[in-house]
Amino acid sequence: MEIIVLADEEQQQEFLSKKINPEVKIIFTGKTFQAQTANADAIFILLQEIPDDLRAINKTPVFINAVSKTLNHFPIDNVHRFNGWNGFINRPVWEIASNHENIVTQVFKMLQWQYTLVKDEPGMVTARILSMIINEAYYAFGEGVSTKKEIDLAMKLGTNYPYGPFEWANKIGLNNIYGLLKILEKNNERYTVAEAMQNEMENKKY
């Protein structure tokens, strides 16, 4: 089995930190893949930017790091979404949104990886919940409840999380959290972006 992976250096390291079936050949590329797809059994796009030549891939399964965009945003039908935010690539179980679970099962069986199928909605499950937690932390920070450092420490000690909400925001990228919340708040006001987060985005203090 041969898999093409579009990823930056940090994403490559996180991808390789997962145990992969030694019979699977992994080929890392930059931002394009059209010339190398002839023999590929699957393509994984970990990059935030979607390649312009995506339309050319009409048969090979394409797994895209698309936390906020749903499947109908893509010009081809052979796309499967996953959460590829920093810190989520090496998780033991991936969240996948797909219209073709049989294909997902085949690819992940070869990789010897686990997945769980989720609804094709912005944020899927984990990213949606984590974004809400981070947003609530910004509400508390903006209201002067405590400092970012103290909120992070309290959350780690109180919930045994590996990171505090602001540490998660820095690791994932506040722009990614903000972008997802702006999509979600259109249909549900409980996702309304905290003023403190909005101010940081406008002033680029992240």
Side-chain angles (χ1 to χ4, degrees), residues 73-162:
H73 281 81
F74 300 101
I76 56 177
D77 182 57
N78 49 311
V79 164
H80 316 271
R81 295 171 54 217
F82 68 92
N83 180 353
W85 279 353
N86 290 340
F88 287 81
I89 295 171
N90 63 357
R91 290 170 66 91
V93 180
W94 277 22
E95 291 178 9
I96 301 287
S98 172
N99 291 326
H100 308 284
E101 187 179 5
N102 60 318
I103 301 298
V104 178
T105 300
Q106 291 174 16
V107 173
F108 275 66
K109 184 176 181 179
M110 284 298 299
L111 284 167
Q112 297 179 353
W113 286 2
Q114 293 180 296
Y115 76 91
T116 182
L117 198 69
V118 298
K119 292 180 66 175
D120 182 33
E121 295 183 350
M124 302 187 193
V125 179
T126 306
R128 182 182 288 233
I129 294 171
L130 185 56
S131 294
M132 281 193 69
I133 292 172
I134 293 170
N135 199 37
E136 286 298 322
Y138 267 95
Y139 273 115
F141 171 69
E143 293 167 3
V145 172
S146 193
T147 66
K148 289 184 178 181
K149 186 175 181 179
E150 289 170 344
I151 292 172
D152 277 341
L153 181 60
M155 288 295 291
K156 286 188 288 187
L157 292 177
T159 63
N160 202 30
Y161 285 174

Side-chain angles (χ1 to χ4, degrees), residues 134 138 169-170 172-179 197 200-201 206:
I134 293 170
Y138 267 95
N170 289 333
I172 294 168
L174 185 59
N175 57 320
N176 290 320
I177 302 296
Y178 176 80
M197 183 188 294
E200 282 194 21
M201 288 299 302
Y206 58 90

